[in-house]
Amino acid sequence: MDSKTIDQFYADFEARFRGSRTLILERLAVYLPLLEPLREHVQTFSALDLGCGRGEWLELLEAQGASVRGIDLDSAQLESCHKRGLKASCNNALDELRALEENSQTLITAFHLAEHLPSEELRHVIQEAHRVLIPGGHLILETPNPDNLCVGSNTFYLDPSHKRPLPAQLLQFLVQHGSFQDAHILRLQHDQDLSQRKSILLRDVLQGVSPDYAVVAIKGGVPHLSETLKSSAKTFCGPTLNDLCHRFDQQQQQLDQQQQQLDQRQLRLSDEHNQLKARLEQLERQHEDFQAELKQERYNLQMVLKSRSWRLTKPLRTIIDLLKR
């Protein structure tokens, strides 16, 4: 299979599994407010997108008036960029960065590139990005989030060119180790209502964590940009896997306690039922005894009324009744 065929394969793969161009434009647009303070800080906003793919990010930045260009190794993806008049060329990320002058770029981005690189190459890319960025310049690295169990165990491996998942804490450390003073984790595309939802399902634990995350870092030297980025990054604080597991466990504990209370109440009701049943049986026995006594007394009365003595004493009883009246 020649390189052109391979490139077309990957372009077709992206079209099916990455999402439509409209969807990716919507997802990437969330970064634009983060960059607004940086745009106001510089006169010329120059940006380099590593692994630019179909060029959605290039299109967004160009619409903001930035001088932006991208690089990629996939000829089919580059062709898609060229059809839209976007500046993109074929080159390796590390080679491209090494060829740039120090303090020459305002922004360097790489969306879903880090997971394709060997760990040593990724470290060098981060170090070179720090060298190339101006003071206050931003680095954005977005990658699939293995904290999402469905991503980390399944969908990440849909792409055969992925090396291995990158936990957010690892990528953040790599960026900090690459001389960036501030590196913030941004959790993306999760259900915004999940943090407020009272009931957490098992499905939420498995799928609810952000499917993608980004590490956004700033090259030191401009304190007010660092503070602004720190404040803005707080709005991207979706739940982690530990958060959802903790909430799910708490919910299960509450359900267990409620079940125990229901079980105890059922036992009490069962005891009360048994006591009432025993009392009812006792009353039924007393009722039967009473009915038997009543029957016997009626029989005795009938025998008295039928007796000879009762007939003989009738005149006497009549006289007594008259005297009473």
Side-chain angles (χ1 to χ4, degrees):
M1 185 181 294
D2 58 33
S3 60
K4 186 175 181 179
T5 304
I6 294 174
D7 289 348
Q8 187 58 50
F9 163 80
Y10 200 75
D12 294 340
F13 173 85
E14 288 263 303
R16 172 173 293 190
F17 293 106
R18 176 124 169 89
S20 68
R21 189 176 185 84
T22 301
L23 176 63
I24 301 304
L25 285 169
E26 291 176 357
R27 289 178 177 175
L28 293 176
V30 301
Y31 293 103
L32 295 179
L34 294 175
L35 302 178
E36 190 61 31
L38 180 59
R39 292 179 66 246
E40 295 174 354
H41 174 70
V42 297
Q43 292 182 344
T44 302
F45 193 102
S46 58
L48 173 65
D49 187 27
L50 307 174
C52 62
R54 299 175 299 193
E56 292 94 343
W57 182 238
L58 302 179
E59 185 176 331
L60 284 174
L61 287 183
E62 194 173 81
Q64 298 291 314
S67 174
V68 58
R69 62 188 184 86
I71 63 162
D72 205 298
L73 294 175
D74 190 307
S75 60
Q77 304 280 38
L78 291 173
E79 184 179 351
S80 178
C81 292
H82 297 156
K83 287 180 179 179
R84 290 175 171 81
L86 301 171
K87 296 179 182 178
S89 59
C90 181
N91 201 0
N92 174 277
L94 188 55
D95 292 341
E96 182 72 19
L97 289 171
R98 283 173 173 168
L100 295 175
E101 295 182 1
E102 186 175 347
N103 300 328
S104 61
Q105 298 295 311
T106 311
L107 171 69
I108 295 176
T109 56
F111 298 98
H112 292 257
L113 174 68
E115 66 273 15
H116 294 266
L117 302 179
S119 57
E120 190 67 17
E121 184 177 350
L122 177 58
R123 282 202 315 113
H124 289 307
V125 165
I126 293 171
Q127 291 170 357
E128 286 298 313
H130 183 271
R131 180 188 66 82
V132 169
L133 284 170
I134 65 171
H138 288 22
L139 171 68
I140 300 177
L141 302 176
E142 182 183 297
T143 188
N145 187 6
D147 207 28
N148 181 307
L149 294 179
C150 288
V151 172
S153 63
N154 183 13
T155 58
F156 179 88
Y157 299 98
L158 282 174
D159 190 332
S161 62
H162 283 176
K163 299 298 183 184
R164 67 182 184 87
L166 291 167
Q169 294 83 354
L170 172 59
L171 188 56
Q172 183 185 45
F173 172 78
L174 291 174
V175 171
Q176 292 170 334
H177 194 266
S179 300
F180 286 90
Q181 294 180 355
D182 298 297
H184 307 280
I185 297 172
L186 275 57
R187 294 178 173 86
L188 309 164
Q189 302 150 29
H190 57 275
D191 184 353
Q192 297 293 332
D193 297 330
L194 188 57
S195 297
Q196 307 300 326
R197 195 182 301 164
K198 293 182 179 179
S199 178
I200 297 295
L201 305 176
L202 178 60
R203 178 185 62 216
D204 297 323
V205 176
L206 298 176
Q207 302 177 343
V209 177
S210 307
D212 293 329
Y213 76 90
V215 170
V216 179
I218 186 170
K219 184 174 179 177
V222 186
H224 81 273
L225 287 179
S226 296
E227 289 300 318
T228 302
L229 179 60
K230 181 179 179 180
S231 177
S232 299
K234 292 179 181 178
T235 62
F236 293 86
C237 53
T240 65
L241 178 60
N242 285 337
D243 294 335
L244 293 181
C245 287
H246 179 67
R247 289 178 60 190
F248 186 78
D249 287 344
Q250 282 187 321
Q251 179 177 291
Q252 290 302 118
Q253 289 174 359
Q254 293 174 354
L255 291 175
D256 290 342
Q257 291 174 356
Q258 292 175 358
Q259 184 63 48
Q260 289 177 0
Q261 293 173 353
L262 289 174
D263 291 342
Q264 292 173 356
R265 183 180 179 185
Q266 185 175 4
L267 286 174
R268 290 196 300 269
L269 291 175
S270 179
D271 290 341
E272 292 176 1
H273 172 75
N274 291 333
Q275 293 174 4
L276 290 173
K277 183 178 180 181
R279 178 59 177 163
L280 178 61
E281 291 174 352
Q282 181 183 11
L283 291 174
E284 287 176 347
R285 289 194 298 270
Q286 290 177 351
H287 176 71
E288 291 174 357
D289 293 343
F290 176 77
Q291 290 293 330
E293 292 178 2
L294 181 61
K295 183 178 181 180
Q296 182 63 42
E297 291 299 324
R298 285 176 176 171
Y299 174 77
N300 293 338
L301 179 60
Q302 289 177 358
M303 294 303 295
V304 169
L305 295 175
K306 293 178 179 181
S307 66
R308 182 179 179 186
S309 60
W310 182 260
R311 292 194 302 272
L312 290 175
T313 58
K314 182 178 180 181
L316 181 60
R317 291 196 307 275
T318 301
I319 294 171
I320 292 174
D321 287 342
L322 291 173
L323 290 174
K324 286 181 179 180
R325 294 175 184 173

